Amino acid sequence: MRSDAGAVPAELVELTLRIGDPARDLVSLAEGNTSTVADGELVVKASGARMDRAKPEDFVVVDLDAAARVLGDPRATQDELSALLAVADDPRGRRASIETLVHVAAVHAGGATWVAHTHPTAIVGLVSIVEGERLWQAPLFPDEAVVVGRPAWVDYHEPGLALGRAVARSITEHAERHGAPPRLVLLGNHGMVALGRSPEEVEAVTAMAVKAARTRALAHAVGTPRYLDAAGGNALASRADEVARRALLAGKTV
């Protein structure tokens, strides 16, 4: 791994600063991380760097193929991962985030080129209860179905090798079951991961997932939530006009 500020896309720094804004309550202190694929390598936030103060120097360039080999090797150990993530000859002792393999899983298993992993209070609260997974069985409102879609779920795993492997399995199983990888992965007792093909897309998925969490909390506080029919939600999300609107939200031309 290496530190190379010149290889860090400006869009990644800008996305990180927006998501790290304390007013949005998506992360606290040095929580969370962002990444993108650039020239076949993964550029990911360094461990311990704050998102709300992100600079190009706060990112690490990761050998994507080497990281994918560790992710897929059942004999690999946490110590091997830690050695892989270290930046060679860096006097500051910087290293890529311990959650780098979550990003690698999103790229290799999920086809993402942009990833945002955050710990929004609204999300963490709902993934830290026994009923957490069941709360996301179907969407509650149309824009949740269109922007977020059906999320994948991962039970709590220790950050690092175990979590990366669990996320890869969940994304793969979701794609096999539903015909497409998820745009949102919910991490039990931890947070969320937004997958996309542009910074606008992962930011849109993050924002709508947080609204979906707050809506669930409010609905449960005052009554019994009435979920949208799962088939109807899928049909809505697949409708041509909604596909076009989702593309515009993701910063794509239609």
Side-chain angles (χ1 to χ4, degrees):
M1 307 305 107
R2 73 181 197 276
S3 177
D4 183 356
V8 179
E11 295 91 339
L12 180 59
V13 178
E14 293 162 2
L15 170 68
T16 306
L17 288 169
R18 290 196 302 272
I19 287 181
D21 181 355
R24 299 182 70 175
D25 191 27
L26 301 177
V27 295
S28 297
L29 302 175
E31 285 182 339
N33 27 74
T34 51
S35 73
T36 189
V37 177
D39 297 325
E41 298 178 301
L42 184 72
V43 185
V44 63
K45 186 183 76 72
S47 179
R50 290 180 56 142
M51 295 177 74
D52 61 336
R53 302 174 183 175
K55 308 179 295 297
E57 294 77 13
D58 293 321
F59 293 84
V60 173
V61 180
V62 175
D63 184 325
L64 190 53
D65 291 337
R69 284 194 294 272
V70 170
L71 178 65
D73 184 356
R75 299 165 300 177
T77 66
Q78 185 64 39
D79 287 343
E80 289 178 63
L81 174 61
S82 295
L84 176 71
L85 299 180
V87 176
D89 302 322
D90 190 318
R92 294 171 56 186
R94 279 178 298 181
R95 60 180 57 243
S97 168
I98 192 62
E99 293 165 333
T100 292
L101 289 190
V102 169
H103 296 255
V104 175
V107 171
H108 272 262
T113 54
W114 289 81
V115 182
H117 166 47
T118 54
H119 301 184
T121 301
I123 293 283
V124 174
L126 292 190
V127 299
S128 299
I129 60 175
V130 172
E131 303 85 358
E133 182 177 7
R134 183 170 56 80
L135 293 181
W136 300 84
Q137 60 188 294
L140 273 177
F141 54 93
D143 270 3
E144 179 187 352
V146 172
V147 178
V148 174
R150 187 190 299 265
W153 175 270
V154 176
D155 287 330
Y156 179 79
H157 286 76
E158 183 177 335
L161 196 53
L163 180 60
R165 287 171 172 166
V167 170
R169 285 194 302 271
S170 181
I171 292 174
T172 299
E173 290 168 1
H174 185 284
E176 291 173 349
R177 185 179 303 119
H178 302 295
R183 292 186 288 276
L184 171 66
V185 179
L186 295 169
L187 308 177
N189 298 87
H190 188 151
M192 60 165 283
V193 184
L195 291 71
R197 305 285 294 181
S198 69
E200 294 86 357
E201 184 170 14
V202 295
E203 190 169 6
V205 169
T206 300
M208 194 59 70
V210 171
K211 177 180 178 179
R214 290 175 176 158
T215 302
R216 279 163 173 73
L218 177 60
H220 277 275
V222 300
T224 301
R226 182 168 55 193
Y227 289 90
L228 297 180
D229 174 75
N234 291 339
L236 175 65
S238 301
R239 215 171 65 183
D241 59 334
E242 296 293 4
V243 170
R245 187 163 68 94
R246 185 166 63 240
L248 290 172
L249 288 172
K252 303 171 185 175
T253 57
V254 294

